[in-house]
Amino acid sequence: MRTRKGEDGMSRLSDVKTPVEITFPVGDGKAALRVTPVSVSAGAVGTDHASSSRFGGGPVAAAAQAAGTVGTAGSQRQQGTGLAFGYTQGRVDADIGTTPLGFEHSRLIGGIKLQGALSDRVSNQLDVSRRAVTDSVLSFAGTRDDRTGKSWGGVTATGARYLIGADRGGTGVYGAVGYASLNGTNVVSNSRLEGGVGVYTRVIDAPGQRLTTGLNLTALAFDKNLRYFTHGHGGYFSPQRFVSLSVPLTWARTQDRLTYQVGGSLGLQHFREDGADYFPGDAAAQSAAAGAATAAGSGNATYTGQSKTGLGYHLAAALEYRLTPHLVAGGNLGLDNASDYRQFVGKLYLRYRMHPLAGPLPLPVAPFRSPYGD
């Protein structure tokens, strides 16, 4: 379960997934079949002019709604089932699948990850993928404005990310760089450049427990600000500049049947967003929206840019408990903010192994993840 605070019908999000995965040996590797029912909801768009004019058809649709010639924007709820197949062999990890079938807009997604060692102490990884952007109902599932009959959304990020790191005696450094092109149905195309560097050290690295801390610097830059919910926007956080400097801390321990870890990070975030038209890339719709907004006395149909600096945090806890030699129960909780929102994630899961697991559970905990990244 994932919940994100935001505006009703738009940036607010409730997301429930029930993934099932079966992993089995194939040749020298392992294959995985994944089926993931998903339900996402943003609530209902407000019927007041200020809200209804910032969704879908914008001020023109809001004026028609106020006049009674059309109804409301409609339900912002989507349900579907995602399918995926994965294969791992040695240093290669590949998968292919879909965003949930039954969503307003479903997409083919997947990727391949190549891991290698440049020396005894230096490793690297190349990840080429196409993934769903799950920030909102609009970006993840796509949606429809019943007032106009037009649907849009279902955004994916297609690109590559390269990571390199060096470790010596429990102390290491790492760096990453990536690029992605973001596209969706009736959504303006966008691009994202990212990079990051960091250092870490294991303050405690003893049998059965580990305490790790460090320093991390992350930067993002998108070509366009498409975070809004009128036609042409994608409903995902896309600042023109985002920088975060944080100090992570994680403590992990295993005790026979139980393994657990707690941790988080605290740091400083800064982001800047450009202003944006209600209808990017559609001059005719933008002109009509500006006229309707002026007539309603609600501005000029543009979103104002902003710049913010503040504290950023992430808190997390995870555990696994071996119920029997074959069956392990697990769960984790997470709370974080990124820019101007807060998100909560909670998971419960069961792992059943055909072969019994002997000895203590692995450290650190590796919680089960859905094919959609959370």
Side-chain angles (χ1 to χ4, degrees), residues 86-371:
Y87 186 74
T88 302
Q89 181 180 2
R91 300 182 183 275
V92 180
D93 188 355
D95 69 279
I96 188 169
T98 67
T99 58
L101 303 175
F103 275 4
E104 183 75 21
H105 297 289
S106 296
R107 301 286 187 219
L108 186 69
I109 57 174
I112 183 168
K113 186 182 297 182
L114 306 174
Q115 304 179 70
L118 301 179
S119 71
D120 292 342
R121 296 173 180 169
V122 180
S123 61
N124 65 350
Q125 176 181 290
L126 176 64
D127 186 357
V128 180
S129 65
R130 185 189 197 200
R131 302 297 181 195
V133 177
T134 63
D135 286 16
S136 65
V137 171
L138 173 59
S139 70
F140 190 10
T143 193
R144 179 181 299 270
D145 184 350
D146 288 349
R147 301 171 302 181
T148 65
K150 186 174 182 179
S151 70
W152 76 112
V155 180
T156 55
T158 305
R161 188 172 187 265
Y162 178 73
L163 172 67
I164 186 169
D167 183 280
R168 181 174 183 176
T171 297
V173 298
Y174 56 89
V177 63
Y179 174 84
S181 174
L182 292 91
N183 299 276
T185 300
N186 296 321
V187 174
V188 172
S189 297
N190 207 354
S191 62
R192 178 186 70 208
L193 183 65
E194 61 177 305
V197 294
V199 297
Y200 64 87
T201 184
R202 296 189 185 101
V203 181
I204 298 174
D205 194 2
Q209 63 176 321
R210 185 179 298 170
L211 178 64
T212 306
T213 188
L215 185 67
N216 183 72
L217 175 66
T218 300
L220 292 172
F222 289 79
D223 180 42
K224 305 178 186 72
N225 179 13
L226 298 176
R227 74 182 307 215
Y228 299 102
F229 296 86
T230 38
H231 294 155
H233 280 273
Y236 59 92
F237 182 55
S238 45
Q240 282 51 73
R241 181 173 64 225
F242 175 87
V243 180
S244 172
L245 181 65
S246 62
V247 177
L249 182 68
T250 302
W251 180 57
R253 188 171 184 183
T254 183
Q255 296 174 305
D256 189 26
R257 289 187 169 196
L258 176 68
T259 182
Y260 57 92
Q261 65 192 41
V262 293
S265 64
L266 180 66
L268 193 65
Q269 295 180 350
H270 168 79
F271 75 93
R272 177 184 61 80
E273 293 176 326
D274 290 344
D277 288 340
Y278 274 28
F279 298 96
D282 190 336
Q286 180 62 26
S287 177
T294 299
S298 58
N300 58 357
T302 59
Y303 300 107
T304 304
Q306 60 177 332
S307 180
K308 290 186 178 181
T309 301
L311 290 177
Y313 61 85
H314 171 73
L315 301 173
L319 66 82
E320 288 190 344
Y321 184 79
R322 189 174 68 237
L323 300 171
T324 74
H326 294 271
L327 186 63
V328 173
N332 67 297
L333 299 172
L335 178 67
D336 67 87
N337 74 327
S339 75
D340 53 354
Y341 75 86
R342 283 187 296 171
Q343 176 173 278
F344 169 80
V345 177
K347 306 178 193 176
L348 293 173
Y349 57 89
L350 291 171
R351 300 184 197 263
Y352 183 86
R353 292 176 170 87
M354 297 299 181
H355 296 285
L357 179 66
L361 289 168
L363 188 72
V365 182
F368 179 77
R369 293 170 61 89
S370 87

